[in-house]
Amino acid sequence: MNSIPSSEVLIIGAGPAGLMLANILGMYGRSVTVLEARDELIDYPRGVGLDDESLRTIQTVGLVDTVLPHTAPQHIMRLVNGSGKTIMINNPQTREFGWDRKHAFIQPEVDKALYAGLAQYPNINVHFGHLVEDVIEDAAGVTAIARVTNADGTETEHRFSAQYLVGCEGGKSPTRKRMGVSFEGDSPSTRWLVVDVDNDPLGTPNVFLGADPKRPYVSIGLPHAVRRWEFMLHDHEDESVVTSKEWVAEMLKDHVPDPHNLSYIRRRVFTHHGRVAGSFRKGRQLIAGDAAHLMPVWMGQGWNSGMRDATNLGWKLTSVLTGTAGEDILDTYTSERKDHAKAMVDLSMTLGSVIKITNPLAVAARDAASSVLNLFPSAKSYFSDMRFKPMPRYTAGVLADPTTQASGTAAAKLTSKLIPVKTANRKVSPVGVQFPQPRVNSQLDENLLLDDVIGNWWTVLVWGNDPKDVLPAHSIKALEALGAKLVALVPETQREWAQEHMSEDVLVLGDHTGAVKKWFDERPTPMIFLRPDRFVAGACLHQHGPATLQAILDSMGSAADHSPSKAQDSALAV
């Protein structure tokens, strides 16, 4: 038995969620050990859709330039009926978060980029061929017992200790089972055949969801000249038969001029699952990615949901490890992520049920309804702009209510009777949602994405004013202890003046497009407390700033007020 030097966090599973979480923790200077049962990363295609939210996280950890070559932006989806008629188009145009909303991608290549990114962090160690068979947890931490098969066939037991363990081992997660939490949902019996080929014989980009009652299908153009098809299988069709070249060629005869001359990457049968764990944390063990939720492929949200988990959890683990937050902040990982994961599962299941309709009368009704809806611009844009996709909105967690300044909660609407609120264009609160990523000018450069300028930790954004002029000294001291960056956003015409007259340690950014001013014009919240994951923890008028900040700190169980020297040391690490 070998004992390895301890680390702060153990991650089990070198899949996308585990790799991204390791990158985030590495970026914050934390020590991490990743244990993977396989001898190498999975090298066959799986996920094919990458959202703007995920790309924003990839941008944060500095890997966007290595990931983009394996993506195709503006991935348009067309839902077509059995006659090949388009009944719905999904083509969102927004770049709200700094990137196109939808990208196709080659998962093995992007996962490799995430793995390669870990090499820059000396405190991150990845061990392949380590099968974790048991975990011992006590008040001080966790110990994972892993079995390693040596080159000569003998086996060795290795023990790895850490303060926390995160299971990212997929849908059959042993960590989730050890935690004893439920995994509720459905696993429909419907099977699908997935076929990936090189040298795309069609060459058309984008996605076609074939709602054909005879046999629903999917056809997807991917980067690197890869084409994917998926076909729904009938109950009587045997797996050993449907994966043969002859059977696949028969399936593809209506899709490809010559289905017998293809370069196959894989032919594989799979079943969709729609499940969410009852809790994402128990004690010192947590779960992320498919270990926490499984969802059908229709919305392309499995990989992206794992990225959201890592983005939410990474800064919270860092906050606990550095003393800027109490351990209870880890419970907000479940309260913030579970409901959205379930919403994505439910939407994916619903879309799948629309595509899989085989009853002729139901098919006719669906196609007729879509034709009518397409006559109405508002209904048509609802689908085209992807507004049916539930965006994350946190109502309980690391938040402060924008009206009452209550800690740990945030109503979706502003209800204050103050004139600035009553007269605002939008009464929907920005608290609990992701802040947009506009382009701005700084003293050093122009037309920069916001996140590249403000860094990767807490930020206070104030429109048109110096944060130090509108917050009292005790609030500034608490923000310094938290390691927060103070930012003034001003019209580009005022940037030079602001740089001369505002505090030296306040970052001044110029709004040269007008997008930032428009955002603040429509919302009576000129002060934003931005979390490291780019979600808004608090938004308020200036005079509510101190109370809002204190509510946020209370929701973190923050140690910042009580141990400023420790928190300031922590800020240096991030």
Side-chain angles (χ1 to χ4, degrees), residues 2-67:
N2 297 314
S3 293
I4 312 297
S6 64
S7 55
E8 292 174 309
V9 180
L10 272 175
I11 296 174
I12 305 179
L19 292 171
M20 177 53 78
L21 180 58
N23 270 282
I24 293 172
L25 292 170
M27 174 181 69
Y28 290 140
R30 310 314 348 134
S31 61
V32 179
T33 299
V34 182
L35 303 177
E36 169 57 50
R38 294 173 177 266
D39 293 329
E40 58 186 6
L41 298 178
I42 295 176
D43 63 354
Y44 55 79
R46 289 161 291 152
V48 294
L50 192 158
D51 285 0
D52 50 353
E53 299 167 70
S54 297
L55 202 53
R56 189 175 188 179
T57 297
I58 292 168
Q59 172 195 353
T60 298
V61 297
L63 297 177
V64 73
D65 289 338
T66 59
V67 164

Side-chain angles (χ1 to χ4, degrees), residues 8-9 20-32 124 163-164 166 286 310-327 329-330 456-458 482 532-533 556 559 566-567 569-574:
E8 292 174 309
V9 180
M20 177 53 78
L21 180 58
N23 270 282
I24 293 172
L25 292 170
M27 174 181 69
Y28 290 140
R30 310 314 348 134
S31 61
V32 179
I124 307 291
Q163 295 183 47
Y164 294 95
V166 185
L286 305 99
T311 305
N312 187 287
L313 181 58
W315 73 270
K316 292 177 179 178
L317 279 170
T318 298
S319 297
V320 174
L321 293 168
T322 57
T324 53
E327 192 176 67
I329 195 177
L330 298 179
N456 56 34
W457 198 237
W458 282 88
L482 188 61
D533 59 1
M556 296 173 64
K566 182 176 181 181
D569 290 342
S570 319
L572 296 177
V574 298

Side-chain angles (χ1 to χ4, degrees), residues 292-307:
H293 38 70
L294 286 171
M295 56 192 68
V297 301
W298 305 115
M299 290 296 298
Q301 290 301 306
W303 194 90
N304 293 289
S305 293
M307 294 299 105

Side-chain angles (χ1 to χ4, degrees), residues 185-229:
D186 297 314
S187 293
S189 59
T190 306
R191 298 168 302 146
W192 290 78
L193 172 71
V194 59
V195 178
D196 292 316
V197 301
D198 272 328
N199 307 320
D200 185 351
L202 298 182
T204 58
N206 307 319
V207 183
F208 298 89
L209 300 183
D212 187 339
K214 296 178 181 178
R215 189 184 298 274
Y217 67 89
V218 182
S219 177
I220 310 174
L222 296 172
H224 304 340
V226 174
R227 166 71 54 174
R228 168 172 293 185
W229 285 277

Side-chain angles (χ1 to χ4, degrees), residues 75-366:
H75 209 215
I76 301 170
M77 182 194 76
R78 292 180 175 87
L79 179 63
V80 300
N81 64 16
S83 302
K85 178 183 177 182
T86 298
I87 57 179
M88 184 185 81
I89 296 178
N90 176 221
N91 181 22
Q93 300 295 309
T94 180
R95 290 176 65 92
E96 177 185 9
F97 300 134
W99 305 95
D100 287 311
R101 179 130 290 174
K102 295 178 62 181
H103 300 73
F105 80 121
I106 301 296
Q107 182 177 342
E109 297 302 324
V110 173
D111 288 357
K112 287 177 186 176
L114 298 183
Y115 172 62
L118 298 177
Q120 63 187 304
Y121 305 118
N123 292 332
I124 307 291
N125 293 289
V126 182
H127 299 278
F128 288 96
H130 282 60
L131 175 62
V132 175
E133 296 188 320
D134 196 11
V135 171
I136 301 170
E137 178 179 342
D138 57 30
V142 292
T143 299
I145 302 171
R147 175 167 51 85
V148 180
T149 301
N150 303 308
D152 60 2
T154 61
E155 294 183 347
T156 307
E157 183 181 283
H158 291 189
R159 293 189 171 221
F160 298 83
S161 60
Q163 295 183 47
Y164 294 95
L165 181 150
V166 185
C168 304
E169 325 100 307
K172 297 180 180 180
S173 168
T175 302
R176 186 187 65 245
K177 294 173 183 177
R178 280 192 303 271
M179 289 166 56
V181 299
S182 61
F183 202 37
E184 300 171 356
D186 297 314
S187 293
S189 59
T190 306
R191 298 168 302 146
W192 290 78
L193 172 71
V194 59
V195 178
D196 292 316
V197 301
D198 272 328
N199 307 320
D200 185 351
L202 298 182
T204 58
N206 307 319
V207 183
F208 298 89
L209 300 183
D212 187 339
K214 296 178 181 178
R215 189 184 298 274
Y217 67 89
V218 182
S219 177
I220 310 174
L222 296 172
H224 304 340
V226 174
R227 166 71 54 174
R228 168 172 293 185
W229 285 277
E230 296 175 17
F231 297 99
M232 192 179 84
L233 299 176
H234 301 302
D235 291 342
H236 67 277
E237 292 170 332
D238 186 79
E239 182 171 341
S240 62
V241 174
V242 301
T243 55
S244 68
K245 289 185 178 181
E246 295 77 13
W247 199 92
V248 172
E250 179 66 20
M251 285 298 95
L252 292 175
K253 67 180 182 180
D254 292 333
H255 298 264
V256 182
D258 181 7
H260 297 282
N261 186 24
L262 298 173
S263 174
Y264 291 106
I265 299 172
R266 70 166 176 165
R267 304 184 298 275
R268 187 172 180 175
V269 174
F270 68 96
T271 303
H272 294 164
H273 301 275
R275 295 181 177 274
V276 180
S279 176
F280 294 2
R281 178 205 177 195
K282 186 175 182 181
R284 292 182 175 273
Q285 299 184 59
L286 305 99
I287 49 177
D290 285 355
H293 38 70
L294 286 171
M295 56 192 68
V297 301
W298 305 115
M299 290 296 298
Q301 290 301 306
W303 194 90
N304 293 289
S305 293
M307 294 299 105
R308 294 188 189 100
D309 292 346
T311 305
N312 187 287
L313 181 58
W315 73 270
K316 292 177 179 178
L317 279 170
T318 298
S319 297
V320 174
L321 293 168
T322 57
T324 53
E327 192 176 67
D328 287 349
I329 195 177
L330 298 179
D331 289 330
T332 69
Y333 170 51
T334 297
S335 64
E336 293 184 349
R337 284 294 305 129
K338 180 183 174 182
D339 287 349
H340 183 259
K342 185 178 185 304
M344 293 307 311
V345 167
D346 292 344
L347 179 60
S348 298
M349 295 288 280
T350 300
L351 182 57
S353 65
V354 171
I355 294 168
K356 294 188 296 183
I357 295 175
T358 56
N359 181 284
L361 293 178
V363 169
R366 176 199 65 199

Side-chain angles (χ1 to χ4, degrees), residues 460-471 486-491 494 497-498 502-503 506-508 526-527 542:
V460 180
L461 302 172
V462 175
W463 173 257
N465 218 323
D466 184 335
K468 288 194 167 183
D469 286 344
V470 292
L471 285 171
L486 305 181
V487 178
L489 295 163
V490 299
Q494 296 181 34
W497 176 90
M502 292 187 180
S503 305
V506 168
L507 174 65
V508 176
M527 180 177 291
H542 292 163

